[in-house]
Amino acid sequence: MAINFPVSHARAGLGTRAAAEKHVRNVSFRAGPPRLIGVELEWLTARADVTAARPELTSLVDALGSHAPRTVMPSSSERPLPSGSVVSVEPGGQVELSSAPCTSARQVCDRLTADARMLRALLARRSVAMLDGAADGVRPPQRLLRTARYGAMEMRYDRSGPMGRLMMNNTAAVQVSVDAGTDDDEIDRRWKLLHAMGPAMIAAFACSPLMRGAPEGDWVSQRMRAWLALDPELTEVPDPAGYPAWVVDAPLTCVRTGEPEWHVPAGASFADWLDGGLDEEIGRRPTIGDLDYHMTTLFPPVRPRGHLEVRYIDAQPGDMWQVPVAAVEALLSTPAVTEEATAVAAPVRELWTEAAQVGLGSVELRAAAAGLLSLAAESSRDMRFTAALDAAAARCLRGRGPEVIGR
């Protein structure tokens, strides 16, 4: 769910670091009774008539019609699909469905299932196939979306190796968004659980062992490996109290200049720009709009956007994406469950790299994954998901990941 501000507000100057941090806090953590859940699903795409070929961007635009995002068709009305999902196109031609906020996992899963069926049919009319896979094991990275944003990101990521391009063009994920919480205490509790259970959830749902162009090495989640290889200053965050300072101190990925290619400062943070360190290079101080945009270039595993956006789960085969969605809902269902889940996840909360590399091959991660999914099955308010969560827990105990399907 995007946060939009009036143009006059976005152009206002920030003045001080304290003002910048206050703004980050206000827009990142929106307090209120937790009741909504949203999901974003991504798929790799390919031409249905040519083996291993990416679709032409024009084919995607023609297929999507009035549902196309303005990033690929500026005149589009960006009309949602019938069940409310909005379509976007990622740099390598991946398609993404962003659900409307829903009041339950069942509701969001039903609506996304219907819209995914329609999206698949729309793309098939132009011989474009949606692929079940979290990483592309066949094709080298190729950027189809030629926007200033992605050009700047590509330039920035190339400084640290090949994984940035792979992440942008050759990966797909399941992202789950939930309300932040009623007050600071609940926000802190929910934030801590979503981070603590990250490694166990990565291990439980890792299904991207192959990705063409990745450096040698066996990883159960090449998709998460790519994310971990980015600059840690863009992907690691403290607790909610420290998040605003982390944002201000984070490196600048790009500065919007209005030119075809945006400026990519080397080695400068947003704080440097705010303090005048880039006056000669950029020619102006940052605005509130610049700070809002800066936040969209940061990719922590749980990103606060008013709500909390979980970003660490591989795209799943078939309709198995519903299982992690149901797990997140259940583990946040009550303060008592959240506290118990945090305790189950505590022994592995720092094992991000090990989770992406060996996954359920780690005894500790296997136990935590199975424990969390069993707790989710016990705590789910929807019997429809109980059997699937129990089956996922049993699978994890046997050290088996989801069936790997796709490229």
Side-chain angles (χ1 to χ4, degrees):
M1 294 175 280
I3 301 172
N4 297 312
F5 299 94
V7 173
S8 59
H9 180 74
R11 290 176 179 170
L14 285 164
T16 66
R17 180 187 177 103
E21 291 188 13
K22 180 180 179 181
H23 178 74
V24 172
R25 173 69 188 181
N26 288 342
V27 302
S28 297
F29 302 98
R30 187 181 303 116
R35 62 185 188 86
L36 298 177
I37 185 168
V39 177
E40 297 178 21
L41 300 179
E42 295 175 339
W43 290 269
L44 303 169
T45 60
R47 288 178 58 182
D49 56 344
V50 179
T51 302
R54 292 183 193 269
E56 300 291 334
L57 192 58
T58 53
S59 297
L60 291 173
V61 172
D62 290 346
L64 294 174
S66 63
H67 305 291
R70 294 193 182 102
T71 52
V72 297
M73 190 168 72
S75 62
S76 174
S77 62
E78 294 186 322
R79 185 161 60 95
L81 294 174
S83 292
S85 305
V86 175
V87 183
S88 58
V89 177
E90 298 299 306
Q94 308 99 311
V95 291
E96 178 182 272
L97 282 183
S98 300
S99 76
C102 295
T103 57
S104 69
R106 176 190 285 258
Q107 185 183 58
V108 77
C109 289
D110 287 347
R111 290 183 178 182
L112 272 172
T113 297
D115 281 344
R117 189 180 302 118
M118 180 171 179
L119 177 61
R120 197 177 296 273
L122 288 173
L123 294 175
R125 296 187 311 176
R126 294 295 183 271
S127 298
V128 177
M130 291 162 53
L131 309 176
D132 284 337
D136 195 324
V138 175
R139 302 171 298 192
Q142 177 189 355
R143 183 161 60 94
L144 302 185
L145 204 54
R146 314 307 294 187
T147 65
R149 172 184 171 88
Y150 292 123
M153 291 174 69
E154 188 174 83
M155 187 181 303
R156 168 71 170 82
Y157 297 153
D158 282 350
R159 294 170 182 165
S160 57
M163 300 303 270
R165 289 190 183 220
L166 288 168
M167 176 275 292
M168 291 171 60
N169 301 302
N170 280 26
T171 65
V174 176
Q175 297 177 17
V176 186
S177 292
V178 293
D179 285 325
T182 302
D183 52 28
D184 287 348
D185 287 343
E186 186 169 37
I187 290 171
D188 186 67
R189 183 166 59 247
R190 289 162 71 87
W191 172 276
K192 285 180 176 176
L193 171 60
L194 293 175
H195 281 86
M197 73 185 199
M201 292 288 278
I202 290 169
F205 297 103
C207 58
S208 53
L210 301 175
M211 183 160 62
R212 182 174 173 183
E216 290 186 7
D218 293 330
W219 293 67
V220 295
S221 178
Q222 293 283 359
R223 184 198 67 85
M224 197 63 199
R225 179 191 188 185
W227 281 106
L228 293 170
L230 297 182
D231 188 340
E233 292 183 287
L234 300 175
T235 58
E236 295 180 0
V237 298
D239 57 27
Y243 184 74
W246 178 82
V247 167
V248 175
D249 287 328
L252 285 164
T253 294
C254 58
V255 173
R256 297 173 295 173
T257 62
E259 302 298 328
E261 294 185 1
W262 291 349
H263 185 58
V264 184
S269 68
F270 191 88
D272 293 330
W273 189 13
L274 186 65
D275 292 340
L278 301 179
D279 282 357
E280 292 187 8
E281 187 174 344
I282 298 177
R284 64 177 179 85
R285 298 288 176 91
T287 65
I288 289 175
D290 291 319
L291 180 54
D292 291 334
Y293 196 84
H294 173 62
M295 285 188 278
T296 73
T297 67
L298 306 178
F299 301 103
V302 181
R303 184 164 66 176
R305 302 179 60 194
H307 54 276
L308 304 179
E309 181 184 77
V310 176
R311 304 178 54 83
Y312 45 65
I313 302 169
D314 275 5
Q316 298 293 289
D319 63 359
M320 294 305 294
W321 57 269
Q322 298 185 32
V323 180
V325 174
V328 170
E329 178 188 57
L331 295 174
L332 291 171
S333 58
T334 70
V337 172
T338 297
E339 184 176 351
E340 184 176 353
T342 303
V344 171
V348 300
R349 66 181 183 272
E350 303 294 339
L351 302 185
W352 293 89
T353 299
E354 187 171 357
Q357 188 165 20
V358 303
L360 298 173
S362 159
V363 174
E364 294 83 1
L365 285 163
R366 190 187 315 162
L372 287 170
L373 291 168
S374 293
L375 178 59
E378 295 170 7
S379 307
S380 177
R381 296 168 178 167
D382 193 329
M383 294 299 293
R384 166 174 150 181
F385 296 119
T386 301
L389 289 165
D390 273 331
R395 166 179 66 73
C396 289
L397 277 177
R398 297 194 299 270
R400 292 182 53 197
E403 181 183 1
V404 178
I405 298 176
R407 312 180 77 81

